[in-house]
Amino acid sequence: MNGVSDLREQAYWDDEIDLRQLVETLLRHKWVIVGLVVAATAVAGIYSYFILPPRYEAVMTVALPAADGADGIGMSVAAYDAFAGSNRVLSAVLARSGLDLTPRQLSDRLQRSVNANERLLTVTASAQTAGEAHRLTLMWREAFEAEVRAYVREQLDEALDAALRELERAREALSRAEAALVAFDRETPLGLLSARLARLETELAAAETELQRLQNVTIPLESVRVQLLEDMLAAEPGLASTSAYVDGLTRPLADDPAGVAAPLHPAAELASARARLETNQQAAELLQRRIEDLHERIAALNHEQTLLEKERQRLQDALDSAAARLRGASGRVAELEARAQQLEHLTQVRIVMDPFMPESPVAPRKMLNMALAAFLGLFAGVGFSLFHEFWRRTE
């Protein structure tokens, strides 16, 4: 049992890392490690100081133009940001600066960030010299403002041309609407139709009044008179052959609204009363037919008048709509002309933070590069030492 335990313990210690041997290994290869560290640091220093070109950055913050595109003039914040890095603006910067670059290469030197809430655009320009970086930001602002102004002017010109065409169409539409209304009033005299309708209504009222008088007064009285005379003759048959009637019947009936005098002979009076009754009944029938005819004619005229009034109202509405369209077009033209007068103000790119002249380059970061190279050299030296020791022991 003790022999087995000793073997296990020996295997355990063989598997463990001997720190003393590790340190001795590193010390034996110290000059290799130091040499790799120094060599890596030297190479990084030479590359950072003498080979890598310096890179300076200048930062400028500008306020975006007031033309925000709400009415089709200007752009949104996102559109301004995209426009700032467009080939149109970059080509204008190259034309001003004389740099021998392509728009794509210049775009790599100009980095942008936008603050939509504050409507601010920040541009960072990078170059090999501080002066060039500073000048690049200034030239970008000049080019950006000039191209924004030119773009907004194009928008204004297009919008003004469209507004002027709309104004001309609105004037033509108003002229047509006015002509249509005048022609309607000339060809369709609603005043005469209304007068005719009023005359028929007056005639209808008079006919209805006369019919009511006949039906409620005259015909009932004549009917009563006929009935009385018939009853009188039926009660005294001798009166039918009497040559003279009593003197009291020669007086007009006191309550007779027609003022008809009592005849001397009852039979003749009865015949006359029957004739008057028949005449009044025929007159009532004629009035009834006349009233019905007047109702039909008035209804037809009312229908015709309603249709004509609707048509005239439609023409009037068209005229009002054309007038409103003309007012809107005139207002749009006036608004665009006023905006054209304010073009410089609407497209001004105001500097919020001036670009400062950078005092030192932001790249290359020489000390950091050398420190990273030294660490990599140390790592490579330690690795080489351990690998060499392992190789030596396995031979």
Side-chain angles (χ1 to χ4, degrees):
M1 290 298 290
N2 291 335
V4 174
S5 299
D6 294 339
L7 290 175
R8 288 180 178 175
E9 184 177 358
Q10 182 64 37
Y12 172 79
W13 287 110
D14 288 341
D15 291 339
E16 288 295 316
I17 297 176
D18 191 338
L19 292 179
R20 178 177 295 178
Q21 291 180 359
L22 178 60
V23 172
E24 291 177 353
T25 300
L26 295 178
L27 289 176
R28 281 197 301 269
H29 297 85
K30 62 183 177 181
W31 296 115
V32 175
I33 297 172
V34 171
L36 288 176
V37 171
V38 172
T41 305
V43 171
I46 293 172
Y47 192 74
S48 298
Y49 278 93
F50 301 104
I51 298 177
L52 285 178
R55 181 166 60 88
Y56 292 84
E57 288 185 351
V59 181
M60 170 187 285
T61 300
V62 297
L64 294 176
D68 57 1
D71 56 351
I73 305 301
M75 291 177 273
S76 64
V77 173
Y80 274 122
D81 182 32
F83 188 78
S86 65
N87 285 339
R88 177 171 178 171
V89 174
L90 297 178
S91 298
V93 174
L94 292 174
R96 282 175 165 79
S97 63
L99 295 173
D100 187 16
L101 298 173
T102 64
R104 178 61 180 273
Q105 292 171 335
L106 180 60
S107 177
D108 294 337
R109 292 193 180 189
L110 295 172
Q111 303 300 322
R112 308 182 313 276
S113 63
V114 66
N115 185 337
N117 295 330
E118 301 294 333
R119 292 181 59 82
L120 297 177
L121 181 64
T122 300
V123 174
T124 303
S126 60
Q128 294 184 7
T129 64
E132 183 181 353
H134 182 265
R135 189 167 62 94
L136 190 57
T137 56
L138 296 177
M139 289 184 176
W140 171 84
R141 191 201 72 83
E142 293 176 1
F144 179 59
E145 185 177 58
E147 293 305 319
V148 166
R149 186 162 299 157
Y151 180 78
V152 173
R153 185 182 296 277
E154 293 170 4
Q155 286 184 319
L156 280 171
D157 291 341
E158 292 178 1
L160 188 57
D161 288 342
L164 289 174
R165 290 194 298 270
E166 173 62 18
L167 179 62
E168 185 62 27
R169 289 193 293 266
R171 286 172 177 167
E172 293 175 357
L174 180 63
S175 178
R176 289 194 300 268
E178 289 176 342
L181 186 59
V182 170
F184 179 85
D185 289 339
R186 183 177 60 252
E187 298 171 2
T188 309
L190 283 175
L192 295 179
L193 184 63
S194 299
R196 183 182 176 189
L197 186 60
R199 185 174 64 254
L200 289 178
E201 289 176 347
T202 302
E203 184 178 347
L204 175 63
E208 288 177 342
T209 301
E210 178 64 17
L211 180 62
Q212 289 179 358
R213 187 186 68 80
L214 287 175
Q215 291 177 342
N216 297 332
V217 178
T218 303
I219 292 177
L221 286 176
E222 291 295 340
S223 298
V224 170
R225 189 185 302 276
V226 168
Q227 186 64 40
L228 289 175
L229 290 173
E230 287 177 350
D231 292 343
M232 183 184 298
L233 292 175
E236 300 182 21
L239 294 177
S241 58
T242 306
S243 59
Y245 194 51
V246 293
D247 294 339
L249 292 177
T250 61
R251 295 177 289 111
L253 294 175
D255 297 330
D256 186 5
V260 181
L264 294 176
H265 199 285
E269 173 64 16
L270 178 59
S272 177
R274 285 175 175 171
R276 288 196 303 273
L277 179 60
E278 184 178 358
T279 300
N280 289 329
Q281 289 175 341
Q282 292 176 352
E285 292 177 359
L286 291 175
L287 281 174
Q288 184 64 41
R289 287 196 295 271
R290 175 63 177 169
I291 289 172
E292 292 174 357
D293 179 65
L294 287 174
H295 275 297
E296 293 178 358
R297 292 172 63 186
I298 289 174
L301 287 177
N302 277 328
H303 181 68
E304 182 181 0
Q305 185 182 34
T306 300
L307 293 179
L308 292 176
E309 287 177 348
K310 287 182 178 179
E311 178 63 16
R312 192 183 190 285
Q313 186 61 45
R314 185 188 68 80
L315 294 175
Q316 184 64 48
D317 292 342
L319 179 62
D320 295 340
S321 177
R325 179 183 177 185
L326 179 61
R327 289 192 299 271
S330 299
R332 179 60 174 169
V333 170
E335 178 187 358
L336 291 174
E337 290 176 346
R339 281 182 168 268
Q341 296 296 327
Q342 302 172 354
L343 180 63
E344 292 189 4
H345 170 70
L346 292 174
T347 57
Q348 181 184 10
V349 179
R350 182 172 53 86
I351 298 177
V352 177
M353 185 181 71
D354 289 322
F356 59 89
M357 183 71 72
E359 297 179 355
S360 58
V362 296
R365 302 175 68 178
K366 302 170 185 176
M367 299 306 297
L368 178 62
N369 292 342
M370 293 173 65
L372 290 176
F375 174 77
L376 292 177
L378 176 63
F379 183 78
V382 171
F384 173 79
S385 300
L386 295 178
F387 179 77
H388 183 269
E389 184 68 18
F390 172 77
W391 186 270
R392 187 180 61 81
R393 288 189 177 188
T394 56
E395 288 181 350

